[in-house]
Amino acid sequence: GAVVSQHPSRVICKSGTSVKIECRSLDFQATTMFWYRQFPKKSLMLMATSNEGSKATYEQGVEKDKFLINHASLTLSTLTVTSAHPEDSSFYICSARVGQERSPLHFGNGTRLTVT
Amino acid sequence: GIQVEQSPPDLILQEGANSTLRCNFSDSVNNLQWFHQNPWGQLINLFYIPSGTKQNGRLSATTVATERYSLLYISSSQTTDSGVYFCAVDPPGGTSYGKLTFGQGTILTVHP
């Protein structure tokens, strides 16, 4: 089955630093990947759509300069949280779809970010 | 945008009991998926079920697309079934392609 790998699974950083999270499709190519964010005891909210070879599209209210997305190849998308602050602490999870519209999304295992 | 409502929000069961989780959505959908999020945060893909009925072991799901709801059945529950169950939908085409909207989840606790 389709596997999406996310790294790191957990990261602790200090305020003001930047953190990069990687999302890889291991056994398929993904022209589009999706980044979600989940606050404790809450549901998942779509942050942005990562498009291979072009700019990401961000959902309303998501700061594109804070959350930099790069989709440089058909199997890798990265999310960089820049100048992180404690309020950026959250669970970030990526997903990708094999094939076209009528197929399931597959999710990575997520990254728990803690900013101190 | 599309609204997704799940019920009940919390469910406590004794091991061996059966349960039904419901997902209502406000518009037609291309995709509907059920997920189980375990205590470590991993989202386990349970069913991809935009319509019809599917079964996988003790779990089964039914989506009635024309009436805009889906049901997840858990039979003979086990403590390992504990966690949060999410329903997520993907409205038809265009700019919404691939953008799953999640319900608020049902927190299931199964006691031994």
Side-chain angles (χ1 to χ4, degrees), chain A residues 32 34 36 38 41-46 49 57 59 91 93 95 97 99-109 112, chain B residues 29-31 33 35 37 39-43 45 48 50 86 90-94 97-105:
Chain A
T32 304
F34 305 92
Y36 290 80
Q38 185 180 30
K41 301 189 184 302
K42 297 292 184 183
S43 188
L44 284 79
M45 298 293 292
L46 179 67
T49 302
T57 54
E59 296 301 299
F91 189 64
I93 189 165
S95 68
R97 170 169 279 146
Q100 298 305 310
E101 199 165 324
R102 291 185 176 271
S103 59
L105 269 180
H106 299 271
F107 283 78
N109 286 337
R112 194 165 303 280
Chain B
V29 297
N30 258 355
N31 299 310
Q33 290 181 248
F35 297 93
Q37 188 169 39
W40 297 272
Q42 293 175 321
L43 270 182
N45 208 336
Y48 167 71
F86 286 107
D90 180 359
Y97 165 54
K99 299 181 179 182
L100 283 183
T101 298
F102 282 76
Q104 292 304 304

Coordinates of all heavy atoms in Angstrom, one line a residue, chain A residues 32 34 36 38 41-46 49 57 59 91 93 95 97 99-109 112, chain B residues 29-31 33 35 37 39-43 45 48 50 86 90-94 97-105:
Chain A
T32 N 0.9 16.4 -5.7 CA 0.3 17.3 -4.7 C 0.4 16.6 -3.3 O 0.1 15.4 -3.2 CB -1.2 17.5 -5.1 OG1 -1.2 18.1 -6.4 CG2 -1.8 18.5 -4.1
F34 N -0.5 17.6 1.0 CA -1.3 18.4 1.9 C -0.7 18.5 3.3 O -0.3 17.4 3.8 CB -2.7 18.0 1.9 CG -3.4 17.8 0.5 CD1 -3.3 16.6 -0.1 CD2 -4.0 18.9 -0.1 CE1 -3.9 16.5 -1.4 CE2 -4.5 18.8 -1.3 CZ -4.5 17.6 -2.0
Y36 N -1.5 19.5 7.2 CA -2.5 19.7 8.2 C -1.9 20.0 9.6 O -0.7 19.7 9.8 CB -3.4 18.5 8.4 CG -4.3 18.2 7.2 CD1 -3.8 17.5 6.1 CD2 -5.6 18.5 7.2 CE1 -4.6 17.2 5.0 CE2 -6.4 18.2 6.1 CZ -5.9 17.6 5.0 OH -6.7 17.3 3.9
Q38 N -2.9 20.1 13.8 CA -3.8 19.6 14.8 C -3.4 20.1 16.2 O -2.3 19.8 16.7 CB -3.9 18.1 14.9 CG -5.0 17.5 15.8 CD -5.1 16.0 15.8 OE1 -4.1 15.4 15.6 NE2 -6.2 15.5 16.0
K41 N -6.4 17.9 21.4 CA -7.8 17.5 21.6 C -8.7 18.2 20.6 O -9.9 18.4 20.8 CB -8.3 17.9 23.0 CG -7.5 17.1 24.1 CD -8.2 17.3 25.4 CE -7.3 16.6 26.5 NZ -7.1 15.2 26.3
K42 N -8.2 18.6 19.4 CA -8.9 19.2 18.4 C -8.8 18.4 17.1 O -8.1 17.4 17.0 CB -8.4 20.6 18.1 CG -8.6 21.5 19.3 CD -10.0 21.9 19.5 CE -10.2 22.9 20.6 NZ -11.6 23.2 21.0
S43 N -9.6 18.8 16.1 CA -9.6 18.1 14.8 C -8.4 18.6 13.9 O -7.7 19.5 14.3 CB -10.9 18.3 14.1 OG -11.0 17.5 12.9
L44 N -8.3 18.0 12.8 CA -7.2 18.4 11.8 C -7.7 19.5 11.0 O -8.9 19.5 10.4 CB -6.8 17.2 11.0 CG -5.9 16.2 11.6 CD1 -6.7 15.3 12.5 CD2 -5.1 15.4 10.6
M45 N -6.9 20.5 10.7 CA -7.2 21.6 9.9 C -6.2 21.7 8.7 O -5.0 21.7 9.0 CB -7.2 23.0 10.6 CG -8.2 23.0 11.8 SD -9.9 23.0 11.2 CE -10.0 24.6 10.4
L46 N -6.7 21.8 7.5 CA -5.8 22.0 6.4 C -5.1 23.3 6.4 O -5.7 24.3 6.6 CB -6.6 21.8 5.1 CG -5.8 22.0 3.8 CD1 -4.8 20.8 3.6 CD2 -6.7 22.0 2.6
T49 N -1.7 23.5 0.5 CA -1.6 22.4 -0.5 C -0.2 22.7 -1.2 O 0.1 23.8 -1.7 CB -2.7 22.5 -1.6 OG1 -3.9 22.4 -0.9 CG2 -2.5 21.5 -2.6
T57 N -0.3 26.6 -2.2 CA -1.5 27.4 -1.9 C -1.9 27.3 -0.5 O -2.0 26.2 0.0 CB -2.6 27.0 -2.8 OG1 -2.9 25.6 -2.7 CG2 -2.3 27.3 -4.3
E59 N -4.4 28.0 3.0 CA -5.7 28.3 3.4 C -5.8 29.6 4.1 O -4.8 30.2 4.5 CB -6.2 27.2 4.3 CG -6.2 25.8 3.7 CD -7.2 25.7 2.5 OE1 -8.4 26.0 2.7 OE2 -6.7 25.5 1.4
F91 N 0.8 19.7 16.4 CA 1.0 18.4 15.7 C 0.8 18.7 14.2 O -0.3 19.1 13.8 CB 0.1 17.3 16.2 CG 0.3 15.9 15.7 CD1 1.5 15.3 16.1 CD2 -0.6 15.3 15.0 CE1 1.8 14.0 15.6 CE2 -0.3 14.0 14.5 CZ 0.8 13.3 14.9
I93 N 0.9 17.3 10.3 CA 0.8 16.0 9.6 C 0.6 16.2 8.1 O -0.2 17.1 7.7 CB -0.3 15.1 10.2 CG1 -0.3 13.7 9.7 CG2 -1.7 15.8 10.1 CD1 -1.1 12.7 10.5
S95 N 0.0 14.7 4.0 CA -0.8 13.6 3.3 C -0.5 13.7 1.8 O -0.2 14.7 1.3 CB -2.3 13.7 3.7 OG -2.8 14.8 3.1
R97 N -2.0 11.7 -2.1 CA -2.9 10.8 -2.7 C -2.3 10.1 -3.9 O -1.5 10.7 -4.7 CB -4.1 11.6 -3.2 CG -5.1 10.9 -4.1 CD -6.4 11.7 -4.3 NE -7.3 11.6 -3.1 CZ -8.0 12.5 -2.7 NH1 -8.0 13.7 -3.2 NH2 -8.8 12.3 -1.6
G99 N -2.7 8.7 -7.4 CA -3.6 8.8 -8.5 C -4.5 10.0 -8.4 O -4.1 11.0 -7.8
Q100 N -5.6 10.0 -9.0 CA -6.4 11.1 -9.2 C -7.5 11.3 -8.2 O -7.4 10.7 -7.1 CB -7.0 11.1 -10.6 CG -6.0 11.1 -11.7 CD -5.1 12.3 -11.6 OE1 -5.5 13.4 -11.5 NE2 -3.8 12.0 -11.6
E101 N -8.5 12.0 -8.5 CA -9.5 12.5 -7.5 C -10.1 11.5 -6.7 O -10.2 11.6 -5.5 CB -10.5 13.3 -8.3 CG -11.3 14.3 -7.5 CD -12.1 15.3 -8.3 OE1 -11.5 15.7 -9.4 OE2 -13.2 15.6 -8.0
R102 N -10.6 10.4 -7.3 CA -11.4 9.4 -6.5 C -10.5 8.3 -5.9 O -10.5 7.2 -6.4 CB -12.5 8.9 -7.4 CG -13.6 9.9 -7.7 CD -14.7 9.3 -8.5 NE -15.8 10.3 -8.7 CZ -16.8 10.5 -7.9 NH1 -16.8 9.8 -6.7 NH2 -17.7 11.4 -8.1
S103 N -9.7 8.7 -5.0 CA -8.8 7.8 -4.3 C -8.5 8.3 -2.9 O -8.6 9.5 -2.7 CB -7.5 7.5 -5.1 OG -6.8 8.7 -5.3
P104 N -8.2 7.4 -2.0 CA -8.0 7.9 -0.6 C -6.7 8.7 -0.4 O -5.7 8.5 -1.1 CB -7.9 6.6 0.2 CG -7.5 5.6 -0.8 CD -8.0 6.0 -2.1
L105 N -6.7 9.5 0.6 CA -5.5 10.2 1.0 C -4.8 9.4 2.1 O -5.4 8.7 2.9 CB -5.9 11.6 1.7 CG -6.0 12.8 0.9 CD1 -6.3 14.0 1.7 CD2 -4.6 13.1 0.2
H106 N -3.5 9.4 2.0 CA -2.6 8.6 2.9 C -1.8 9.6 3.7 O -1.3 10.6 3.2 CB -1.7 7.7 2.2 CG -2.5 6.6 1.4 ND1 -2.9 5.4 1.9 CD2 -2.9 6.7 0.1 CE1 -3.5 4.8 0.9 NE2 -3.6 5.5 -0.1
F107 N -1.8 9.4 5.0 CA -1.1 10.3 5.9 C 0.2 9.8 6.5 O 0.4 8.6 6.7 CB -2.1 10.6 7.1 CG -3.2 11.6 6.7 CD1 -4.3 11.1 6.0 CD2 -3.1 12.9 7.1 CE1 -5.3 12.0 5.7 CE2 -4.2 13.8 6.7 CZ -5.2 13.3 6.0
G108 N 1.1 10.7 6.7 CA 2.3 10.4 7.5 C 2.0 10.3 8.9 O 0.8 10.4 9.4
N109 N 3.0 9.9 9.7 CA 2.8 9.7 11.2 C 2.8 11.0 12.0 O 2.6 10.9 13.2 CB 3.8 8.7 11.7 CG 3.5 7.3 11.3 OD1 2.4 7.0 10.9 ND2 4.6 6.5 11.3
R112 N 5.4 16.2 16.1 CA 4.9 16.9 17.2 C 6.0 18.0 17.5 O 7.1 17.7 17.9 CB 4.7 16.1 18.5 CG 4.0 16.7 19.6 CD 3.5 15.7 20.6 NE 2.6 14.7 20.1 CZ 1.3 14.9 19.8 NH1 0.7 16.0 20.0 NH2 0.6 13.9 19.3
Chain B
V29 N -20.2 14.7 -1.8 CA -18.8 14.5 -1.7 C -18.2 13.6 -2.7 O -18.9 12.7 -3.2 CB -18.5 14.0 -0.2 CG1 -18.8 15.0 0.8 CG2 -19.1 12.6 0.0
N30 N -17.0 13.8 -3.0 CA -16.3 12.9 -3.9 C -15.7 11.7 -3.1 O -15.7 10.6 -3.6 CB -15.1 13.6 -4.6 CG -15.4 13.9 -6.1 OD1 -16.5 13.6 -6.6 ND2 -14.5 14.6 -6.7
N31 N -15.1 12.1 -2.0 CA -14.5 11.1 -1.2 C -15.0 11.2 0.3 O -15.3 12.2 0.7 CB -13.0 11.3 -1.2 CG -12.4 11.2 -2.5 OD1 -12.6 10.2 -3.3 ND2 -11.6 12.1 -2.9
Q33 N -13.6 9.3 4.0 CA -12.7 8.4 4.7 C -13.0 8.4 6.2 O -13.3 9.5 6.8 CB -11.2 8.8 4.4 CG -10.8 8.6 3.0 CD -9.3 8.9 2.8 OE1 -9.0 9.9 2.1 NE2 -8.4 8.1 3.3
F35 N -11.0 7.5 9.8 CA -9.7 7.3 10.3 C -9.8 6.9 11.8 O -10.7 7.4 12.5 CB -8.8 8.5 10.2 CG -8.5 9.0 8.8 CD1 -9.4 9.9 8.2 CD2 -7.5 8.5 8.1 CE1 -9.1 10.3 6.9 CE2 -7.2 8.9 6.8 CZ -8.0 9.8 6.2
Q37 N -7.3 7.6 15.0 CA -6.1 8.2 15.5 C -5.7 7.6 16.8 O -6.5 7.7 17.8 CB -6.2 9.8 15.6 CG -4.9 10.4 15.9 CD -4.9 11.9 15.8 OE1 -5.9 12.6 16.2 NE2 -3.9 12.6 15.3
P39 N -3.2 6.8 20.3 CA -2.7 7.7 21.3 C -1.3 8.4 20.9 O -1.0 9.4 21.4 CB -2.5 6.8 22.5 CG -3.5 5.7 22.3 CD -3.6 5.5 20.8
W40 N -0.6 7.8 19.9 CA 0.6 8.4 19.4 C 0.4 9.4 18.3 O 1.3 10.0 17.8 CB 1.6 7.3 19.0 CG 1.9 6.4 20.1 CD1 2.9 6.6 21.0 CD2 1.2 5.2 20.5 NE1 2.9 5.5 21.9 CE2 1.9 4.7 21.7 CE3 0.1 4.6 20.0 CZ2 1.4 3.6 22.3 CZ3 -0.3 3.4 20.7 CH2 0.3 2.9 21.8
G41 N -0.9 9.6 17.9 CA -1.2 10.6 16.9 C -1.3 10.0 15.5 O -1.7 10.8 14.6
Q42 N -0.9 8.8 15.3 CA -1.0 8.2 14.0 C -2.4 8.1 13.5 O -3.3 7.7 14.2 CB -0.3 6.8 14.0 CG 1.2 6.8 14.3 CD 1.7 5.4 14.4 OE1 1.0 4.5 14.9 NE2 2.9 5.2 13.8
L43 N -2.6 8.5 12.2 CA -3.9 8.4 11.6 C -3.9 7.1 10.8 O -3.2 7.0 9.8 CB -4.1 9.6 10.7 CG -4.8 10.8 11.2 CD1 -5.0 11.8 10.1 CD2 -6.2 10.5 11.8
N45 N -5.8 4.7 8.4 CA -6.9 4.7 7.4 C -7.8 3.5 7.5 O -7.3 2.4 7.3 CB -6.2 4.7 6.0 CG -7.0 5.4 4.9 OD1 -8.2 5.5 5.1 ND2 -6.3 5.9 3.9
Y48 N -12.1 3.9 2.9 CA -12.3 4.9 1.9 C -13.7 4.5 1.3 O -13.8 3.5 0.7 CB -11.3 4.8 0.8 CG -11.6 5.6 -0.4 CD1 -11.7 7.0 -0.5 CD2 -11.9 4.9 -1.6 CE1 -12.0 7.6 -1.6 CE2 -12.3 5.6 -2.8 CZ -12.3 6.9 -2.8 OH -12.7 7.6 -3.9
P50 N -16.8 6.5 -0.3 CA -17.7 7.6 -0.7 C -19.2 7.1 -0.9 O -20.1 8.0 -0.9 CB -17.1 8.0 -2.0 CG -16.3 6.9 -2.5 CD -15.8 6.2 -1.3
F86 N -12.1 9.7 13.3 CA -12.5 10.9 12.4 C -13.1 10.5 11.1 O -12.7 9.5 10.5 CB -11.2 11.7 12.1 CG -10.6 12.5 13.2 CD1 -9.5 12.1 13.8 CD2 -11.2 13.7 13.6 CE1 -8.9 12.8 14.9 CE2 -10.7 14.4 14.7 CZ -9.5 14.0 15.3
D90 N -14.2 15.0 1.1 CA -13.5 15.8 0.1 C -14.6 16.2 -1.0 O -15.1 15.3 -1.7 CB -12.5 14.9 -0.6 CG -11.7 15.5 -1.7 OD1 -12.0 16.7 -2.0 OD2 -10.9 14.8 -2.3
P91 N -15.0 17.5 -1.0 CA -16.1 17.9 -1.9 C -15.7 17.7 -3.3 O -14.5 17.6 -3.6 CB -16.3 19.4 -1.5 CG -15.7 19.6 -0.2 CD -14.5 18.6 -0.1
P92 N -16.6 17.7 -4.2 CA -16.3 17.5 -5.6 C -15.4 18.5 -6.2 O -15.4 19.6 -5.8 CB -17.7 17.6 -6.3 CG -18.7 17.3 -5.2 CD -18.1 17.8 -4.0
G93 N -14.5 18.1 -7.1 CA -13.6 18.7 -7.9 C -13.2 20.2 -7.7 O -13.4 20.7 -6.6
G94 N -12.6 20.7 -8.7 CA -12.2 22.1 -8.7 C -11.2 22.4 -7.7 O -10.3 21.6 -7.4
Y97 N -10.2 19.9 -4.6 CA -9.7 18.6 -4.9 C -8.6 18.3 -3.9 O -7.6 19.0 -3.7 CB -9.1 18.6 -6.3 CG -8.1 17.4 -6.5 CD1 -8.5 16.1 -6.3 CD2 -6.9 17.6 -7.0 CE1 -7.7 15.0 -6.5 CE2 -6.0 16.6 -7.3 CZ -6.4 15.3 -7.0 OH -5.6 14.2 -7.2
G98 N -8.8 17.1 -3.2 CA -7.8 16.7 -2.2 C -7.9 17.3 -0.9 O -7.2 16.9 0.0
K99 N -8.7 18.3 -0.7 CA -8.7 19.0 0.6 C -9.7 18.4 1.5 O -10.9 18.8 1.5 CB -9.0 20.5 0.4 CG -8.0 21.2 -0.5 CD -8.4 22.7 -0.7 CE -7.4 23.4 -1.5 NZ -7.7 24.8 -1.6
L100 N -9.3 17.5 2.3 CA -10.2 16.8 3.2 C -10.7 17.8 4.3 O -9.8 18.5 4.9 CB -9.5 15.6 3.9 CG -9.4 14.3 3.0 CD1 -8.8 13.2 3.9 CD2 -10.8 13.9 2.5
T101 N -11.9 17.8 4.6 CA -12.5 18.5 5.7 C -12.8 17.4 6.8 O -13.6 16.5 6.5 CB -13.7 19.3 5.4 OG1 -13.4 20.3 4.4 CG2 -14.3 20.0 6.6
F102 N -12.3 17.6 8.0 CA -12.5 16.6 9.0 C -13.6 17.0 10.0 O -13.9 18.2 10.2 CB -11.2 16.5 9.9 CG -10.1 15.7 9.3 CD1 -9.4 16.2 8.2 CD2 -9.9 14.4 9.7 CE1 -8.4 15.5 7.6 CE2 -8.9 13.7 9.1 CZ -8.1 14.2 8.1
G103 N -14.3 16.0 10.5 CA -15.2 16.2 11.6 C -14.5 16.4 12.9 O -13.2 16.3 12.9
Q104 N -15.2 16.7 13.9 CA -14.5 16.9 15.2 C -14.1 15.7 15.9 O -13.4 15.7 16.9 CB -15.5 17.8 16.1 CG -15.7 19.2 15.6 CD -14.3 19.9 15.5 OE1 -13.5 20.0 16.4 NE2 -14.0 20.4 14.3
G105 N -14.5 14.5 15.4 CA -14.1 13.3 16.0 C -15.0 12.7 17.1 O -15.7 13.5 17.7

